[in-house]
Amino acid sequence: MDETPLLSARQVTKEFVSGHRALDSVDLDLRPGEWTAVTGPSGAGKSTLLQLFAALETPTSGRVLYRGRDLADTDVDAYRRRSVGIVFQLHNLLPHLDIRENLEVAMYGTHLGRRARAARIDALIHDVDLVEQQGRKPPQLSGGERQRAAIARALVNDPEVLLADEPTGSLDPAQVQRLVALVERHMADRQMAVLMVTHDRDVAARARRRVVLDHGRLTEPDVPVPVGPQ
């Protein structure tokens, strides 16, 4: 495994206008082919950490680095389009577009031709078991179906890093296992780094590393765990 980090947080602190300190001097590296699970109580700063790595928030102090370069000096639109796939807790699908169109929009500006884009969309829709629902719009879908569509959208551009905020919360156990297998396959095939915020202990146990956020601080950083189910 390549030990050079794709993404790094260096002494990252995030404070909001209200005065709330969501993150406090956090250090964390995300490496190719490695799955890191972030656990901890609600309000501990887990989603904020993910948003900083996604360049959706900026740190109050400290730096977030992509391949050693500060995200503040990066074209963040290109970064989010080409390098990072994001699964939001509330899905963030475009409600006026069907599943297939949501994936197509995510691929605008990529180097792939029309046929290659269509083939990748076909494969991912199959992988998340939404073939029969692909022509439906988000308001016509169940919570689990919207979640699976969001996962497919996050993977459609073959990202180097997957950032996922509670991606299994709306899924039944069989769907969770299918998602985990899909993520692990992308990690193996593409050396994708994964940062997953989760309250699901069984899902967290599948990660190669677990970190625990509590009151904005990493209380158990870089704890290695066995690969595979416990």
Side-chain angles (χ1 to χ4, degrees):
M1 182 183 298
D2 186 353
E3 293 298 319
T4 304
L6 281 170
L7 278 171
S8 301
R10 290 288 179 265
Q11 288 293 292
V12 165
T13 294
K14 178 63 179 180
E15 293 183 356
F16 292 98
V17 175
S18 64
H20 172 61
R21 178 171 289 191
L23 296 173
D24 189 359
S25 302
V26 167
D27 287 300
L28 183 63
D29 290 330
L30 305 182
R31 296 181 176 88
E34 188 169 69
W35 177 356
T36 301
V38 184
T39 61
S42 296
K46 301 185 300 297
S47 294
T48 300
L49 177 63
L50 187 148
Q51 290 165 358
L52 285 166
F53 276 130
L56 296 170
E57 293 280 358
T58 57
T60 305
S61 63
R63 299 192 300 162
V64 179
L65 307 175
Y66 168 63
R67 293 187 175 278
R69 182 179 179 184
D70 198 319
L71 278 182
D73 301 323
T74 302
D75 181 343
V76 294
D77 290 332
Y79 165 75
R80 287 193 294 261
R81 184 170 61 250
R82 298 171 186 168
S83 302
V84 177
I86 309 167
V87 183
F88 297 96
Q89 194 168 1
L90 297 179
H91 318 308
N92 283 16
L93 297 167
L94 297 174
H96 58 289
L97 300 179
D98 63 33
I99 291 176
R100 189 174 193 88
E101 290 167 339
N102 266 277
L103 269 64
E104 289 172 348
V105 166
M107 298 190 80
Y108 288 167
T110 64
H111 66 283
L112 295 177
R114 180 172 57 83
R115 289 185 180 179
R117 293 198 304 270
R120 182 168 292 177
I121 290 170
D122 287 341
L124 279 167
I125 286 176
H126 175 270
D127 285 342
V128 297
D129 195 22
L130 288 174
V131 174
E132 294 184 3
Q133 295 88 352
Q134 64 181 303
R136 297 179 188 173
K137 297 177 181 179
Q140 300 171 307
L141 303 173
S142 69
E145 288 168 343
R146 289 195 295 272
Q147 190 74 319
R148 284 181 278 152
I151 292 162
R153 181 188 59 185
L155 293 172
V156 75
N157 285 334
D158 197 15
E160 293 179 293
V161 182
L162 176 66
L163 303 171
D165 197 350
E166 295 287 356
T168 63
S170 302
L171 306 183
D172 64 36
Q175 292 168 348
V176 170
Q177 292 304 311
R178 187 166 185 160
L179 165 63
V180 168
L182 177 62
V183 169
E184 290 177 338
R185 188 168 77 245
H186 275 256
M187 288 169 55
D189 292 347
R190 299 167 174 82
Q191 285 296 288
M192 181 178 69
V194 177
L195 180 68
M196 185 178 293
V197 170
T198 183
H199 283 104
D200 188 321
R201 292 184 179 181
D202 291 335
V203 171
R206 298 289 290 268
R208 180 65 183 89
R209 295 166 60 218
R210 288 197 298 263
V211 296
V212 180
L213 261 175
D214 191 8
H215 293 89
R217 297 186 69 90
L218 283 177
T219 57
E220 298 179 24
D222 299 340
V223 178
V225 298
V227 177
Q230 305 299 295

